[in-house]
Amino acid sequence: MPLARRALALTLAIAIAPAAAPGVLLAQGLPWQRIDRRMPADPHASIRILDLAGSIRVTGWDQDSVSISGTVPRGAGQFYAGGSRTGIKLGIETDSLGAPGVELDVRVPRAATVWIKSSSATVTLGGVEGDVDIATVSGDIRVEGAPRRVSAEAMDGDIELTTRAAVTRAKTAGGTITINGGGGDVTASSVSGAVRYTGAHKLLVGRLESVSGTVTFQGTVIRGGTLAIETHDGPVDVRVPRDQAARFDLTSFGGAVTNALAGGDPVVPKGKPLRFTSGADDAGGATVTVRTFKGNVRLGGS
Amino acid sequence: MTDLVARARDGDESAFGDLYRTHAGRVYALCLRLEADAARAEELTQDVFVRAWERLGSFRGESAFGTWLYRLAVNVVLSDRRAAWRRARRVFTAEDPSVHERARDTAGAGLALDLEQAIAALPPGARAIFVLHDVEGYQHGEIATLMGVAEGTSKTQLFRARRLLRQALER
Amino acid sequence: MNCERARELLDRWPAGLIPAGEAEAFDQHLAGCAACREDRAAATAVAPAVAALPERIEPPRDLWPDVRRRIGRPLRRTPRWRTMGLAAAAAIALVAGSSAVTLHFARGRPGVATAPRIPAIEAGYASATADLLRALDAQRSHLSPATIATLERNLAVIDAAIAESRAALASDPGNRDLEALLLAGYRQKVALLQQATRLAERS
């Protein structure tokens, strides 16, 4: 959809005033203002984006500059951008709690550190290798690539991280969390939404929790690593390779615990823990712990 | 629009500080009478001025700045009441009996002291309606909209409040 | 004249000084209506006291420094001393609670880890939660009604879970796994409130 709007803006711009500056377009009574800025930036610059009023796409590139383009609807707020080569701050200053319709496309140096605070629309980020920290209220967050560390927080939005990072933090209240890739140090927490982890990379320390949502884990835990999963009544589904060496400790006080891996009972009486060790030896296997008040727990092979 | 307000609107913090000094007493009085809690009234007074700073851009000068500000204050206090997560607060914080003590202590001294105390002791709904109608001069239709109640409720509560106040004053 | 009209008049003229045109009808109505007599008595008792109310009450302390701290300017960071302090306090409570939980998970065997002292930890979380709720109240103008609704909804989910865990623990005290679940609920509540506070901050 952003593409269509930009195309429309471009068509109108060409039709009305081919060489016009944004101010002239505004004077023509168009409902939006075009942004087109470029600022020099160091490779490891720190970029802060306060887009309280719309959607943002941030992409890492191989230039020593930050480029910002997009459209700001009239009345949505005042665009600003400033700073130095090492630190740039940009955003939309608005007195409302999140006017819709602003669309920004920001390019940043690949190794930059990016901090974004947005209100109600999607934040999409890719190709950034520095630290990434994104917080939205009701917007969705999508991150791709290999940031050094990624932290994503949304109150109501969904979070999708297709990333490989040393440290991953995802937090939402009402939304779902989907992690594809993962590995390293991962913490994902939702209150009423689902948490889905599909690991392509080995997990070192993992903590997945939801109060009432489903938690699913599919991946491998490194030797000596830990995976802890907690829900209150959300179901839990854990799938590890059949040769995963680990100590398993699964308890549901009010729900059923079933197991399809060798080495442990297939089912236990309600409220009783399922504990067993599987894998070659128990010197340094992983620890997988699941605690739920009354969710059902399933353990199986991936 | 006065020069002071125009400068504040352009971002002049010290001009806004002068506006604060001019209007803080009125705003605090409103908050204190509506909330009957001095600590809350202080927080709300701050909130009102912060909100006013944020909204100054949209003040066009059609009314006096004070009128606009006090209207904003009423909105801030009433939407504070609507924030229902205060229900969650009751899970953990015990009822503070000294709340009413504080309201009495900080009300203005003099002839009106008894009335301030009596207003503070009113049930919250009746108190808000009384303060808005008899003290601040809002009409029932406006109060109904502001508080999300029926106009009839506003009228009934007003008369109830006056009766309770009379009893308190003539004790 | 009926009661409704009489009340309307009292509404407009709370001091009871009804204009000549309707004064007689008003008096006649009151002669026969105890309720309206009472309303007029209340109005006439209260009105002079209201008129004597001071228009201003100066706040007990100067609030301008705090207001100024909060308004700041867009390109200058607003100091977050207040919420940072409270969030830090909550974080300490979090660590105190969660380290016991982590220990438990790591050992995987109840009875080996040091038992968390539930009442003391609960009190710590209670206090951190109350502080955060207060801080959040102060920032609520920065949150939309929809966000507040989401926050409430999810707080309710957590509170329900906490209540269930507490009840279960009460009938099986000393159960380390139940303790861990209960503490997890508290931790999630504090974490959610911290998240909301961070969102509400202007920066």
Side-chain angles (χ1 to χ4, degrees):
Chain A
M1 202 177 297
L3 208 56
R5 267 199 78 180
R6 212 154 293 147
L8 178 62
L10 213 51
T11 310
L12 278 173
I14 290 168
I16 290 171
V24 176
L25 285 177
L26 209 57
Q28 295 279 358
L30 278 182
W32 58 74
Q33 175 198 0
R34 272 204 71 77
I35 308 292
D36 211 327
R37 294 276 298 267
R38 187 119 169 194
M39 308 164 64
D42 285 347
H44 294 272
S46 154
I47 318 290
R48 282 172 76 90
I49 304 177
L50 264 170
D51 181 10
L52 302 172
S55 77
I56 325 149
R57 173 181 290 273
V58 178
T59 318
W61 66 355
D62 293 316
Q63 314 265 348
D64 283 355
S65 61
V66 167
S67 110
I68 309 143
S69 59
T71 54
V72 178
R74 281 188 119 167
Q78 181 59 46
F79 172 79
Y80 65 87
S84 64
R85 292 194 64 101
T86 53
I88 290 174
K89 186 160 178 176
L90 64 107
I92 310 287
E93 199 188 319
T94 172
D95 66 353
S96 61
L97 289 168
V102 172
E103 287 168 12
L104 290 183
D105 195 315
V106 183
R107 307 284 164 122
V108 302
R110 205 172 283 288
T113 293
V114 180
W115 183 98
I116 302 174
K117 188 163 171 191
S118 169
S119 165
S120 62
T122 307
V123 176
T124 311
L125 185 145
V128 172
E129 290 160 11
D131 293 350
V132 170
D133 192 324
I134 303 172
T136 71
V137 178
S138 58
D140 295 339
I141 301 176
R142 289 195 201 111
V143 182
E144 289 180 346
R148 197 171 70 109
R149 302 163 63 101
V150 60
S151 167
E153 278 189 9
M155 186 58 72
D156 226 347
D158 295 335
I159 296 175
E160 195 179 316
L161 306 176
T162 307
T163 51
R164 178 182 197 161
V167 178
T168 303
R169 297 281 177 266
K171 189 156 184 16
T172 175
T176 61
I177 299 176
T178 307
I179 298 178
N180 294 312
D185 181 340
V186 175
T187 299
S189 166
S190 179
V191 177
S192 48
V195 176
R196 292 181 214 112
Y197 176 97
T198 309
H201 316 291
K202 289 202 174 151
L203 186 69
L204 183 65
V205 177
R207 176 168 204 96
L208 310 177
E209 62 186 20
S210 178
V211 178
S212 59
T214 308
V215 177
T216 53
F217 174 90
Q218 181 167 309
T220 313
V221 186
I222 208 168
R223 279 186 170 277
T226 59
L227 168 64
I229 297 180
E230 244 170 45
T231 75
H232 186 76
D233 53 352
V236 178
D237 195 306
V238 178
R239 297 192 185 276
V240 294
R242 290 188 182 276
D243 59 358
Q244 168 82 54
R247 264 172 308 153
F248 293 95
D249 186 342
L250 319 173
T251 309
S252 175
F253 290 93
V257 178
T258 54
N259 167 42
L261 292 182
D265 294 334
V267 74
V268 286
K270 238 180 214 190
K272 290 285 176 223
L274 174 63
R275 293 198 181 106
F276 68 99
T277 302
S278 114
D281 61 65
D282 66 356
T287 308
V288 176
T289 315
V290 175
R291 285 282 175 285
T292 170
F293 188 77
K294 55 186 189 184
N296 292 326
V297 182
R298 276 194 333 189
L299 173 64
S302 55
Chain B
M1 189 182 311
T2 67
D3 176 56
L4 196 60
V5 174
R7 278 173 27 222
R9 203 174 77 151
D10 288 340
D12 184 342
E13 269 180 28
S14 82
F16 190 68
D18 288 342
L19 287 173
Y20 166 84
R21 262 169 266 293
T22 309
H23 296 281
R26 187 89 168 71
V27 171
Y28 180 73
L30 175 68
C31 295
L32 182 61
R33 285 174 189 142
L34 281 172
E35 282 293 297
D37 178 334
R40 271 324 263 140
E42 272 187 35
E43 286 171 15
L44 285 164
T45 302
Q46 280 190 43
D47 290 351
V48 168
F49 281 96
V50 172
R51 192 79 174 271
W53 173 261
E54 291 166 4
R55 297 270 153 131
L56 254 180
S58 66
F59 176 65
R60 302 265 172 269
E62 302 108 343
S63 64
F65 174 76
T67 309
W68 177 83
L69 179 67
Y70 307 142
R71 185 92 205 195
L72 195 136
V74 168
N75 276 308
V76 167
V77 175
L78 291 184
S79 64
D80 168 70
R81 283 156 165 269
R82 282 195 290 267
W85 70 60
R86 294 169 116 212
R87 284 200 288 272
R89 182 152 64 172
R90 291 191 201 119
V91 173
F92 279 129
T93 58
E95 263 291 302
D96 183 359
S98 72
V99 153
H100 299 294
E101 254 53 69
R102 265 178 297 183
R104 287 186 201 121
D105 289 341
T106 55
L111 295 168
L113 183 56
D114 288 343
L115 181 61
E116 301 273 24
Q117 287 174 354
I119 293 173
L122 284 174
R127 181 172 70 232
I129 290 168
F130 174 79
V131 170
L132 288 174
H133 186 276
D134 277 7
V135 181
E136 296 294 325
Y138 284 80
Q139 301 300 309
H140 285 295
E142 292 176 290
I143 294 173
T145 309
L146 283 167
M147 294 191 58
V149 300
E151 216 174 297
T153 306
S154 180
K155 291 176 181 171
T156 316
Q157 288 293 312
L158 174 68
F159 283 94
R160 179 173 166 232
R162 285 181 186 161
R163 289 192 195 189
L164 290 169
L165 288 171
R166 181 197 170 202
Q167 283 169 22
L169 289 174
E170 292 176 358
R171 207 171 309 171
Chain C
M1 181 174 295
N2 58 16
C3 287
E4 199 184 328
R5 183 63 192 149
R7 281 182 155 200
E8 268 170 26
L9 290 170
L10 270 177
D11 215 36
R12 258 191 97 181
W13 287 282
L17 299 169
I18 314 297
E22 299 197 68
E24 205 182 315
F26 181 76
D27 288 338
Q28 272 174 8
H29 174 82
L30 256 59
C33 180
C36 284
R37 277 202 301 276
E38 214 181 305
D39 281 339
R40 182 179 64 177
T44 52
V46 165
V50 169
L53 282 177
E55 207 177 76
R56 289 170 169 45
I57 300 174
E58 289 308 314
R61 61 183 184 89
D62 184 12
L63 302 172
W64 174 243
D66 285 332
V67 172
R68 196 166 89 185
R69 231 189 312 259
R70 282 170 67 182
I71 57 182
R73 280 187 172 264
L75 291 178
R76 184 179 74 209
R77 288 192 55 169
T78 307
R80 297 182 287 183
W81 63 273
R82 192 158 167 232
T83 46
M84 279 298 270
L86 294 167
I92 290 168
L94 255 165
V95 168
S98 66
S99 59
V101 171
T102 309
L103 195 59
H104 175 68
F105 274 148
R107 301 289 179 108
R109 276 185 284 277
V112 177
T114 312
R117 291 186 9 253
I118 291 296
I121 294 179
E122 263 198 319
Y125 278 116
S127 147
T129 305
D131 286 342
L132 282 166
L133 283 164
R134 262 197 296 276
L136 204 49
D137 267 358
Q139 304 269 25
R140 73 196 162 284
S141 60
H142 296 134
L143 294 173
S144 70
T147 307
I148 292 171
T150 299
L151 179 60
E152 269 186 65
R153 200 167 51 239
N154 286 285
L155 278 174
V157 169
I158 299 175
D159 283 339
I162 288 174
E164 272 191 321
S165 300
R166 285 183 102 199
L169 188 57
S171 48
D172 187 0
N175 184 318
R176 301 296 152 75
D177 292 326
L178 281 176
E179 283 178 356
L181 281 171
L182 174 62
L183 294 180
Y186 286 134
R187 190 174 33 77
Q188 281 167 328
K189 184 164 183 174
V190 168
L192 179 59
L193 290 171
Q194 284 182 318
Q195 181 185 0
T197 307
R198 277 194 298 271
L199 280 172
E201 278 168 6
R202 290 174 58 83
S203 59

